[in-house]
Structures are given as structure tokens and as C-alpha cells.
Amino acid sequence: MTLAPDIIELTARARADLRMGVPVVIGSSLILAAETLNETRLRALQITGTPLVLAITDWRARTLKARAYDTDIARVVVPEDAPVDWITAIADPADDLNAPMKGPLQTLRDDGATDARLAIQLTKDARLLPAAVVARLDAPREYAASHSLTMLDADALEKTYSAPSPLHPLVSARLPLEVNEAGRLHVFRPEDGGEEHYAIEIGQPSRTEPLLTRLHSACFTGDLLGSLKCDCGPQLRGALSQMGTEGQGVLLYLNQEGRGIGLANKMRAYSLQDQGFDTVEANHRLGFEDDERDFRIGAGILKSMGFSKVRLLTNNPAKIAMLEANGLEVVERVPLKVGESRHNSAYLATKAAKSGHLL
């Protein structure tokens, strides 16, 4: 019996550390998030003469014309006297068009990429730019202890990423809605300290008949502000309206803003779109995949609520495939074609052409 934090709790602590600019230790490496790195900590490392690399994703590496010898990531050698601005320019594409020549960049090709790969995943989970400064340590445990840093075992951390965090029902309460007074809101909390997710239940849907449902990812700009750059707000209201008309259904409101990259990174993507890149190109230039969401979360919630068959309100075939891969039967795809305007027509066309959406 111990009061010490386990790997899940240490990982949550490490995410918070990186967001604050505090280093963490993963395996045998010191990790600093590129986005929150400051000059003081960088200089403290450089004074020791420790070789530094900047881990970036293969998508970011393609933009920079850097070789990703590790396939999914690249480890860029950081010059001994590089300032923070040099690291920021490699990690953040905001100024790429004004200063496109950042190389040639030297990248490593040895077998030591595991810690760097985990570091990038951790920065993604912290909703930071997917880039991390990595320094090899001779005595990682002693180093972490002497500097009061969070230390994560690499093998244990890798295992936590192999499956989604278990979700537990926290509370539910009656919630009369405009579309139907027989509403109920369920709150689910993940074990890993991540964001909570919600299920809005309309009526008293049968657990034996196919359920009209929608997996809706949070969109602050569209759902709350009425943004015209996307169709999220109209989809949210349209799905709830259809459930209200039918008298039953479940809408899952999943906190995966910006297709899983977070609001700050979504705004970075919007800024790149203003420079002429489409939504997918913007994500890639930032270093993200087309879509970083995890729809296994939605499948887990539905199963925990007792549902096994769904009529899915979606235009995204990936949602269907993910639900079916996780034990749910999608008996029907119900199209949800709402919200197109002159402001988002190009965005929707890109989703259709590059992400396979059925519009």
C-alpha cells in the first residue's frame, strides 16, 4: 500500500508541468515542451554542454524539408548556441511564409527515438504544439530527484497510450431542453485526469432498439459563438432537433476541440488558413494529423449506457468505422447536411475531398 502516484497520475502531473514550462523526465531523457520553453532553462541546459535535439512530427518535418529517419517523427539537432527563437521557428509555422529558409536541418537516425516519440504524444495531450526539446541523461532518476522533476517510465507510459482511459459515470440529472423537455445530462470523467465528456439523453430510448445518436466534438467557436467558418453549431442544433422530433436519442458531447488539437492550436490553424492553406494543410504544417480525435471514447460511453446498436447522425465514415471496430453495430447512417455558407464552403469541400466526408 502506497500513497505515491501511479503512472496515470504521474502522466497527468507531467502534462501540467509541460504546460507551465517545467521539464519532465521520460525514460532516460529530459523533456521540455518547445512552446513553453524559456531562455533561462534553455541556457541552463546549454551551459552543461548536453547535446539537444528538437523532436517534431513527420508532418512538420515535411514542411521544413527535414529527414524523418524515425518515420513518424524527426529529431532535429539543435545548434549549441541556438536561442529560444530558433526553436520556436522550427516548432511553430506561424512565420513560415515570411522566413521559409530554416535549414538545412540535421536530423538523427539512430535507434533512440522512443523517448522523443512519447514526448511528442505528451505535448499533444497537453494541447501544446507537438514539438519537444530532448536531452539524453546519464542518470535520469538521480537527475529528476535532484531537480524535483516528474519522472515517467517509458515502458509504462507507452502502455497507457495503447488504450483509451477508462471513463466513469460521475453524475446525471434531468435537464429539460428546448427541443424536448424529457432531457437528461450525464457526465463522464476519465481516470487519466483528462477532460470530462457528456451524454445528452433525450426521452427514454430503448436499449434493445437502434439508437439515434451523434458523436459531436466540442467547438467553442461554432457551438457557442455561432462561427461561420464551420458547420458545427448547425450540426449540434440540428441533431438535437431531430432527436427532439423523434422523442428519443443520445448526443455525445466530446471535449475534443479542433478535431482533437485544442482551441489554441485550432486558432493557429485558422491563422494559417488566412495565409491560404486549407484546413488539412494547416493541421499538417502545425505537425498534427488530419484528425487527432479518439472516437473510442464515444463507443465506450454508449456501451456503458447499455446501447449496442445505433443510427448514427454523421457525414464522417471514420466515426462509423471506429464505432463498429469497438463493438457497436451501426445499422444506419443518418445524413446531417446543415450549415453550409459562403464562409465555410471551401472548408466543407476540403473535408469531403481529403477526409472522406459524405457531403
Side-chain angles (χ1 to χ4, degrees):
M1 185 71 68
T2 177
L3 295 177
D6 61 19
I7 185 61
I8 302 297
E9 293 158 338
L10 286 171
T11 303
R13 180 185 293 178
R15 289 197 300 267
D17 287 347
L18 291 180
R19 287 180 62 85
M20 293 290 292
V22 178
V24 302
V25 175
I26 297 178
S28 59
S29 301
L30 181 70
I31 307 298
L32 301 97
E35 180 177 335
T36 54
L37 177 65
N38 62 40
E39 203 71 50
T40 300
R41 283 198 166 99
L42 178 59
R43 288 299 174 217
L45 268 178
Q46 290 172 330
I47 288 171
T48 68
T50 304
L52 305 179
V53 298
L54 177 60
I56 57 176
T57 68
D58 59 323
W59 283 117
R60 183 66 184 141
R62 291 183 203 183
T63 296
L64 298 170
K65 303 297 188 291
R67 292 287 184 89
Y69 292 114
D70 304 313
T71 307
D72 57 332
I73 69 169
R75 288 171 293 152
V76 179
V77 175
V78 178
E80 292 181 3
D81 59 348
V84 165
D85 288 349
W86 186 92
I87 291 171
T88 300
I90 301 299
D92 189 344
D95 206 38
D96 277 358
L97 295 188
N98 290 330
M101 301 302 293
K102 295 182 172 65
L105 300 174
Q106 179 187 351
T107 56
L108 300 184
R109 60 189 309 168
D110 59 44
D111 296 329
T114 298
D115 295 349
R117 184 173 290 111
L118 291 170
I120 286 180
Q121 185 59 55
L122 195 59
T123 59
K124 285 184 177 183
D125 289 350
R127 298 294 185 258
L128 300 171
L129 286 168
V133 173
V134 181
R136 291 288 184 85
L137 301 172
D138 294 327
R141 290 193 178 279
E142 291 81 356
Y143 189 95
S146 64
H147 292 276
S148 300
L149 302 179
T150 301
M151 179 163 187
L152 304 173
D153 179 82
D155 291 337
L157 180 59
E158 202 162 19
K159 288 179 182 177
T160 68
Y161 286 132
S162 64
S165 176
L167 284 159
H168 301 289
L170 180 63
V171 65
S172 69
R174 187 176 69 86
L175 184 68
L177 301 173
E178 288 185 2
V179 298
N180 193 302
E181 293 185 4
R184 193 169 192 86
L185 178 64
H186 304 258
V187 179
F188 291 82
R189 179 175 292 169
E191 285 185 4
D192 65 2
E195 294 171 295
E196 294 166 353
H197 305 283
Y198 318 121
I200 299 96
E201 185 174 13
I202 304 296
Q204 296 181 320
S206 168
R207 265 57 178 174
T208 59
E209 298 296 321
L211 169 75
L212 180 63
T213 189
R214 172 162 174 78
L215 275 62
H216 187 89
S217 297
C219 178
F220 172 75
T221 52
D223 298 342
L224 274 69
L225 303 182
S227 167
L228 300 176
K229 283 183 69 70
C230 64
D231 56 345
C232 301
Q235 285 190 329
L236 172 64
R237 291 180 283 277
L240 285 173
S241 178
Q242 187 162 341
M243 292 175 188
T245 299
E246 295 195 14
Q248 60 181 15
V250 169
L251 184 141
L252 302 185
Y253 197 86
L254 307 177
N255 276 308
Q256 301 189 111
E257 179 82 42
R259 296 202 296 271
I261 66 176
L263 182 59
N265 286 320
K266 184 171 89 169
M267 291 301 99
R268 289 184 172 114
Y270 277 10
S271 180
L272 291 174
Q273 289 172 38
D274 289 341
Q275 295 180 24
F277 301 103
D278 67 35
T279 180
V280 171
E281 292 167 343
N283 266 30
H284 290 172
R285 293 187 77 87
L286 285 164
F288 293 105
E289 299 294 333
D290 301 24
D291 195 332
E292 295 274 353
R293 290 175 292 182
D294 187 351
F295 294 123
R296 296 176 298 179
I297 295 170
I301 292 175
L302 289 170
K303 288 192 290 186
S304 73
M305 294 178 70
F307 299 107
S308 59
K309 300 178 181 180
V310 298
R311 298 167 53 226
L312 192 62
L313 275 160
T314 188
N315 302 323
N316 185 357
K319 290 184 181 180
I320 298 173
M322 185 59 74
L323 289 187
E324 290 180 336
N326 284 273
L328 287 169
E329 181 182 350
V330 181
V331 301
E332 179 186 1
R333 182 187 76 86
V334 182
L336 189 58
K337 297 185 179 181
V338 293
E340 182 173 359
S341 71
R342 63 183 177 86
H343 296 280
N344 62 28
S345 58
Y347 163 77
L348 295 178
T350 298
K351 288 207 298 184
K354 295 188 175 182
S355 300
H357 286 225
L358 304 172
L359 301 175

